[in-house]
Amino acid sequence: MSTRRIFAQPARYAAIAPYLWMVLFFLVPFAFVLKISLSQTAIAQPPYVPVFDFSEGWTAINAAFAQLSFDNFRLLISDSLYISSYLRSVIVAVTSTLILLLIGYPIAYGMARLPQRWQAIAMMLVIVPFWTSFLIRIYAWINILQHDGLLNKILLALHLVSSPVVWLSTDSAMYLGIVYSYLPFMILPLYATLSKMDASLLEAASDLGSSPLQAFWLVTFPLSLPGVGAGALLCFIPIIGEFVIPDLLAGSGSMMIGQTLWLEFFTNKDWPVAAAAAVALLVLLVPPLLLYDRLQRRTLEGSR
Amino acid sequence: MARRVGRISPFNITALALGMAFLYLPIVILVIYSFNASRLVTVWGGWSLRWYHEFFNDRAMLDAAWMSLRVAAVSATIATLLGTLAAVGLARGERFRGRTLFSGMLYAPLVMPEVISGLSLLLLFVALNAERGFWTVTIAHTTLTMCFVTVVVQSRLASLDRSLEEAAMDLGCDPVQAFIRVTVPLILPAIAAGWMLAFTLSLDDVVIASFTTGPGSATLPIRIYSEVRLGVKPEINAICTMVIALIAVLIVIASLASKLSGAEVKSAAPL
């Protein structure tokens, strides 16, 4: 008991360096995003009018507050480009999460049914792709999906199609890339809840006369809902802000919000609008993040 | 706990087999095509090391690869130090002022869209008038990856038997000694896994690096990315295969290290 207390003191000091680091390089930058999202665009380097100039003292700060403008946010709301890219982000994230659930659930279920020693191996196999570069994995699909790529060759050889199908720069390619990249994030939380489930519950269900399918639907699936929720949110949240996959695999037609932000920043050099888009994207992420936090807490309490 | 009844239906096996094929086939195909002699990526022209040779003569690509390796090594090392300290603070520090904020700041980057992290760091660097290049990318990667290190090390610390630390202190160690002599050796596999995870994440990142790097110091993923946007090139297959090989070697070393450092350590895997 008392030794724990003694240990706690130096452990708190250990947190000082990482604490300062995160404040400086994570928290403070957000203040800058917020600040620049409220300033005016300028054709200069950097391309925005600074909002705060502390060298002038208090009066300058007061003047600066008077200068804050919500123009960038007004632009986001009025321009259909931004509204449609928000909508597209949400639609893409919801659709991909549903596909991930449909594919990930059977795999996680199969893993949980394996003999103990095989489960560890299967788990390793799911984690390893997460280690290999994500860009490389997307690139691997470009290899397969391109006009004279392997997929079209196989389809032609099997006479399933008469001419090569355009796969790249389509929404299906983008969904494929997203599902492929995020599958481990879906499988692992699902597997975690499914493997902890007490098998005697299923035996009881079948003793009471339910078919395997009924037992699954009435017992296994409801009990796995925390895993379903965790997996879904773990995929949904990052997919909303995804940039690389839609940029490489989807067509140039409609953009996700991450792409719009990138375009404003790198191509149009409109930093204030890009910063405003970042703030708006963050706001979009708050509800699912809070939901995830609540879910995690409930799971922790449940396991106690 | 009730014993699990080992019933595997054909359905389970099919789902697993298809799932694993889906995860691994694209990578296998990429590796095979990297040894293709033909210039056309899709026509098989026999085995050849031609594209590897091409890469080692490509000055710009080599520079980018060297830049990436340096950034990954330096940022992973700083991230491991800071992340381990943060994990110790969270797992052993009990309560302290601002603990909720601290853990929030450490968990947020795990799911934060990279475009936001990248943009916000760039705005900071511009405001500080920092010259963009090696150090700005390294700092950005450190910030992102130390959070992953914290998660890995913290979960290991949480599962560690505290009575070992208490025994060391009963035998006369002060807390710092007890930590260095007892705790650190026990969590070393997790620290190693954290370093590797940080290294691979840094080696992989396009978005944050694009925001925080300066002219003339592109990382390997940035170069790969700009090439890929123009279409598939066999040389990229070769580069990707080498990156995969490097990561595979690191995984093997890490799993060997965790086996050697104690049989009771069950898993050095993250997540």
Side-chain angles (χ1 to χ4, degrees):
Chain A
M1 267 269 287
S2 57
T3 37
R4 244 176 228 190
R5 286 264 170 76
I6 299 170
F7 215 97
Q9 201 57 45
R12 271 177 232 164
Y13 292 129
I16 291 176
Y19 205 130
L20 291 178
W21 182 285
M22 288 314 280
V23 168
L24 179 60
F25 293 116
F26 186 74
L27 211 55
V28 171
F30 278 117
F32 280 99
V33 173
L34 203 58
K35 177 195 122 175
I36 287 159
S37 73
L38 296 172
S39 58
Q40 314 274 353
T41 311
I43 302 169
Q45 189 57 250
Y48 58 86
V49 177
V51 172
F52 301 128
D53 187 358
F54 293 107
S55 56
E56 303 265 316
W58 192 240
T59 44
I61 293 175
N62 273 339
F65 269 104
Q67 258 181 42
L68 287 187
S69 99
F70 286 92
D71 287 356
N72 301 312
F73 289 98
R74 241 170 258 137
L75 178 72
L76 290 193
I77 296 171
S78 59
D79 193 329
S80 66
L81 170 73
Y82 301 104
I83 307 258
S84 72
S85 66
Y86 278 113
L87 278 178
R88 179 161 163 90
S89 289
V90 175
I91 292 169
V92 168
V94 170
T95 317
S96 324
T97 307
L98 288 177
I99 303 174
L100 278 160
L101 259 177
L102 280 178
I103 297 180
Y105 203 103
I107 299 176
Y109 189 79
M111 278 169 67
R113 282 310 179 83
L114 286 173
Q116 272 311 329
R117 41 171 290 138
W118 284 92
Q119 286 194 21
I121 296 170
M123 175 119 153
M124 262 319 279
L125 284 173
V126 172
I127 290 173
V128 165
F130 173 77
W131 285 84
T132 57
S133 171
F134 143 88
L135 182 62
I136 290 177
R137 283 181 289 145
I138 296 302
Y139 176 69
W141 274 109
I142 297 182
N143 257 327
I144 296 171
L145 295 176
Q146 61 183 318
H147 186 71
D148 47 359
L150 207 60
L151 180 61
N152 273 335
K153 281 198 176 157
I154 292 173
L155 289 177
L156 286 171
L158 294 173
H159 296 289
L160 287 173
V161 294
S162 50
S163 59
V165 182
V166 178
W167 297 106
L168 281 183
S169 305
T170 63
D171 278 6
S172 2
M174 177 190 65
Y175 281 117
L176 182 68
I178 292 178
V179 168
Y180 184 64
S181 304
Y182 285 92
L183 197 55
F185 292 93
M186 182 58 91
I187 292 179
L188 290 175
L190 280 175
Y191 166 74
T193 43
L194 285 170
S195 66
K196 268 185 254 155
M197 210 170 283
D198 194 340
S200 57
L201 288 172
L202 284 182
E203 281 166 27
S206 87
D207 286 349
L208 292 170
S210 69
S211 70
L213 209 61
Q214 271 179 318
F216 170 80
W217 191 243
L218 295 172
V219 179
T220 311
F221 186 72
L223 284 174
S224 69
L225 279 178
V228 170
L233 287 168
L234 264 183
C235 295
F236 179 84
I237 297 167
I239 292 173
I240 283 243
E242 188 54 64
F243 165 75
V244 176
I245 302 176
D247 190 57
L248 286 178
L249 293 178
S252 52
S254 46
M255 287 191 287
M256 288 175 70
I257 188 65
Q259 293 172 276
T260 314
L261 193 160
W262 183 279
L263 188 79
E264 287 297 346
F265 188 86
F266 284 105
T267 312
N268 298 346
K269 303 254 188 281
D270 194 337
W271 292 17
V273 170
V279 173
L281 172 54
L282 265 183
V283 171
L284 201 62
L285 288 177
V286 168
L289 276 174
L290 289 179
L291 197 63
Y292 182 70
D293 189 53
R294 228 176 106 186
L295 199 71
Q296 289 296 91
R297 251 174 234 183
R298 203 183 291 163
T299 319
L300 272 181
E301 276 159 21
S303 68
R304 253 174 222 153
Chain B
M1 266 207 65
R3 264 189 70 82
R4 191 187 318 281
V5 267
R7 275 181 308 153
I8 317 166
S9 67
F11 175 74
N12 293 157
I13 292 293
T14 319
L16 272 177
L18 286 178
M20 294 303 162
F22 179 58
L23 284 176
Y24 283 93
L25 265 184
I27 301 175
V28 172
I29 292 168
L30 172 87
V31 170
I32 293 174
Y33 270 107
S34 78
F35 295 105
N36 185 3
S38 165
R39 168 161 288 283
L40 294 165
V41 188
T42 46
V43 179
W44 184 253
W47 298 90
S48 151
L49 287 175
R50 178 177 165 194
W51 305 112
Y52 292 85
H53 188 74
E54 193 111 316
F55 166 69
F56 284 105
N57 287 321
D58 184 341
R59 193 71 241 164
M61 246 347 157
L62 280 176
D63 285 346
W66 178 229
M67 165 90 176
S68 270
L69 286 175
R70 271 159 50 222
V71 168
V74 175
S75 71
T77 308
I78 306 175
T80 305
L81 264 171
L82 290 171
T84 306
L85 285 174
V88 171
L90 284 175
R92 293 291 187 266
E94 323 271 287
R95 260 171 218 160
F96 54 87
R97 234 168 233 274
R99 190 186 194 280
T100 320
L101 175 68
F102 186 47
S103 66
M105 284 192 298
L106 285 167
Y107 284 108
L110 302 179
V111 287
M112 183 71 62
E114 287 165 321
V115 278
I116 297 185
S117 314
L119 176 71
S120 63
L121 274 164
L122 171 69
L123 295 179
L124 174 80
F125 292 141
V126 169
L128 293 176
N129 230 338
E131 193 198 336
R132 275 173 278 151
F134 175 79
W135 281 107
T136 47
V137 181
T138 304
I139 287 173
H141 282 179
T142 305
T143 311
L144 173 78
T145 56
M146 71 178 267
C147 305
F148 286 85
V149 176
T150 308
V151 171
V152 174
V153 176
Q154 196 191 352
S155 70
R156 178 76 190 117
L157 274 171
S159 67
L160 205 65
D161 190 354
R162 280 196 182 190
S163 58
L164 292 168
E165 289 162 3
E166 284 168 23
M169 283 191 279
D170 285 346
L171 293 170
C173 282
D174 63 44
V176 177
Q177 277 178 320
F179 178 74
I180 292 172
R181 294 220 182 139
V182 178
T183 317
V184 169
L186 286 171
I187 59 172
L188 210 54
I191 294 178
W195 187 89
M196 278 190 28
L197 186 57
F199 185 87
T200 51
L201 284 170
S202 166
L203 209 57
D204 189 20
D205 165 71
V206 197
V207 176
I208 294 177
S210 299
F211 276 102
T212 51
T213 194
S217 43
T219 60
L220 188 61
I222 295 179
R223 284 213 64 92
I224 294 179
Y225 184 66
S226 56
E227 293 281 347
V228 168
R229 289 184 99 172
L230 301 176
V232 179
K233 251 175 85 181
E235 189 195 340
I236 304 288
N237 283 341
I239 297 170
C240 291
T241 302
M242 281 187 286
V243 174
I244 292 172
L246 175 69
I247 292 168
V249 167
L250 283 175
I251 293 178
V252 170
I253 291 175
S255 60
L256 282 181
S258 75
K259 259 189 197 134
L260 286 177
S261 70
E264 86 279 17
V265 180
K266 281 200 192 80
S267 154
L271 296 177

